[in-house]
Amino acid sequence: MAVGQNKRLSKGKKGKGKKAVDAFSKKDWYEIKAPSAFQVRNVGKTLVTRSSGMRVATDFLKNRIVEANLADLNKDEDQNYRKIKLQIMDVQGKNCLCNFYGMDMTTDKIRSLVKKWQTTIECAVDVTTTDGYKLRMFCMAFTKKRQNQLKKTTYAQTAQIKLIRKKMTDIMTKEATTVDLKELVKKFIPNSIGTQIEQACQCIYPLKDVYIRKVKTLKAPKFDITKLMEVHGSATESAPAPQTDEGTKVDRPSAE
């Protein structure tokens, strides 16, 4: 075959001079900082490709969504069924400052609550906080036996379900629209809204396992760095070095 007919014959091997470069050598690690509503502020670390030319690394970090378990954030294993979503709003040095973005429950927890012989009541409502965050809140509750009840089932009537749903909507709207996002997150952590709904609905039908199942951010106001710093408090301050546990001095038994 003539050399001019096949162009590949005149060239060397394809990709011969290409060196294998480690992708991680071009990346930097950044610390993810949670808001002050949580006990543990260091959520974890995230990767981003280093700034080069017109490409700024911080632009690729902003608006990232990270998910953490509430048991890890509050050092409380009883809250391990809650998942918290945080959104990176700003980058200061090697710290990514986050704000609350959403909340969810683990699948195994929801599956463990749903049972036979009871009624599941669910409700969703859109609320706007005083600082302009538009959220969608989902509530879930289950009927339980009355005191001294012998009947096996605890089914609520349709009229009762409608009344309970209205109570849920009213309480969620009242609790969310009178506070800002920072205070609302503090209500989500101990499930205080769920406890209020449970107490308010006792006169209609006894309820159990009342939870704010899910929270979604539909719309956020224009980014304000001063408000973010209020949410974080002293997040950017350097944490004190952990003290090493040296143990207690024990007297050595004398050799006989």
Side-chain angles (χ1 to χ4, degrees), residues 67-70 79-85 100 102-107:
E67 193 176 88
N69 196 297
L70 189 57
Q79 295 177 326
N80 61 1
Y81 59 89
R82 282 252 185 255
K83 294 186 290 183
I84 302 290
K85 282 185 179 177
F100 178 82
M103 187 177 74
D104 206 350
M105 279 175 82
T106 55
T107 311

Side-chain angles (χ1 to χ4, degrees), residues 86-104:
L86 302 168
Q87 186 177 25
I88 296 171
M89 302 302 294
D90 193 37
V91 182
Q92 293 187 353
K94 290 284 179 183
N95 293 328
C96 300
L97 304 185
C98 297
N99 202 358
F100 178 82
Y101 185 73
M103 187 177 74
D104 206 350

Side-chain angles (χ1 to χ4, degrees), residues 108-244:
D108 61 309
K109 177 68 174 177
I110 297 168
R111 298 286 181 274
S112 70
L113 296 172
V114 179
K115 292 174 186 139
K116 288 196 289 184
W117 322 121
Q118 64 182 20
T119 305
T120 305
I121 303 160
E122 289 187 293
C123 171
V125 64
D126 290 359
V127 293
T128 307
T129 59
T130 53
D131 50 353
Y133 284 89
K134 193 176 180 184
L135 308 171
R136 183 166 290 156
M137 293 164 64
F138 297 83
C139 185
M140 179 172 66
F142 301 91
T143 55
K144 70 173 181 181
K145 283 186 178 182
R146 295 179 193 272
Q147 205 171 3
N148 303 323
Q149 183 179 326
L150 298 172
K151 194 180 176 185
K152 184 184 179 182
T153 59
T154 57
Y155 297 131
Q157 294 175 346
T158 311
Q160 289 171 324
I161 292 168
K162 284 182 179 177
L163 282 170
I164 290 167
R165 213 173 269 139
K166 189 179 185 303
K167 282 266 186 198
M168 283 178 173
T169 308
D170 293 345
I171 291 168
M172 283 196 290
T173 307
K174 181 191 158 195
E175 289 295 314
T177 52
T178 54
V179 292
D180 58 3
L181 186 68
K182 185 183 176 181
E183 291 300 315
L184 187 59
V185 171
K186 287 178 182 176
K187 290 182 181 182
F188 288 149
I189 294 166
N191 194 37
S192 60
I193 299 171
T195 311
Q196 275 191 53
I197 292 166
E198 189 177 333
Q199 290 169 353
C201 295
Q202 286 298 321
C203 56
I204 304 165
Y205 204 103
L207 297 178
K208 62 172 184 177
D209 299 325
V210 184
Y211 292 105
I212 301 297
R213 179 178 64 84
K214 190 176 182 180
V215 179
K216 289 199 294 189
T217 302
L218 302 176
K219 199 175 180 183
K222 198 175 177 183
F223 175 66
D224 187 358
I225 185 68
T226 54
K227 283 185 179 177
L228 183 68
M229 294 315 293
E230 280 174 26
V231 169
H232 275 266
S234 56
T236 50
E237 287 179 17
S238 57
Q243 292 180 348
T244 53

